[in-house]
Amino acid sequence: DNSSLMERAEQYMAPSLTPGSSLDVENSHGFHAAVGYRAHPRAALQARFEYLPSSEVRGTLAGSDVSLIQMTNFNITADVKAFLLTGRFQPYGLIGIGVAHTTLEDDTGAWIGGGTHGDAAIAGRFGGGIDVYVTRNIAVYAEGSYLVSDTLDFDIAGYPVTQPTEYGSVGGGLMF
């Protein structure tokens, strides 16, 4: 019986759940770095690394807020960017493929048997943004993207769980 991480958490925690109990994955802050090449005035290729440390799965159980596990995500993708305009303001769409890795940590041993459990899977990214050139070679950018992976396999309290990594990210920065 394979189920999602949240479904398995709800089943595993069922004896502790009372009216008003809930499970939630909290947002994480992270960073990304990319190296790219402008192959054509309207197309670029980039290699991108993204790291999201410590998303937390929290539960409200019997009126108490508890931390169940910590999730760490990183991914590496090869992206293609297609530019709509080629002037100072350059909006673009992007699509990419790569690998995503998720690690679950349970220091208490209460939820996933303690220790660290991780898995990796193929992932896809899509999104868009805008580059604004300040000079000929320096630009600031804003970007939004969504990443989704194939299913990752974890063992939660002796039960198999399949869960894809999927999340949206918003960021910006400086390009040279």
Side-chain angles (χ1 to χ4, degrees), residues 14-44:
S16 303
L17 296 178
T18 60
S21 296
S22 65
L23 293 170
D24 184 39
V25 177
E26 294 189 354
N27 291 334
S28 176
H29 297 76
F31 69 88
H32 76 262
V35 175
Y37 175 71
R38 190 73 171 252
H40 182 275
R42 294 197 180 268

Side-chain angles (χ1 to χ4, degrees), residues 90-166:
Q90 298 185 10
Y92 61 86
L94 71 88
I95 189 165
I97 190 165
V99 64
H101 184 276
T102 298
T103 301
L104 305 177
E105 295 180 56
D106 177 13
D107 294 333
T108 66
W111 195 53
I112 59 175
T116 301
H117 307 267
D119 196 16
I122 191 165
R125 175 186 310 284
F126 64 91
I130 186 166
D131 294 345
V132 179
Y133 280 82
V134 179
T135 70
R136 184 172 184 260
N137 296 316
I138 299 174
V140 294
Y141 72 94
E143 181 179 282
S145 67
Y146 190 78
L147 180 116
V148 63
S149 77
D150 195 6
T151 56
L152 304 166
D153 298 311
F154 299 102
D155 180 54
I156 306 296
Y159 298 97
V161 174
T162 58
Q163 176 75 31
T165 294
E166 57 180 293

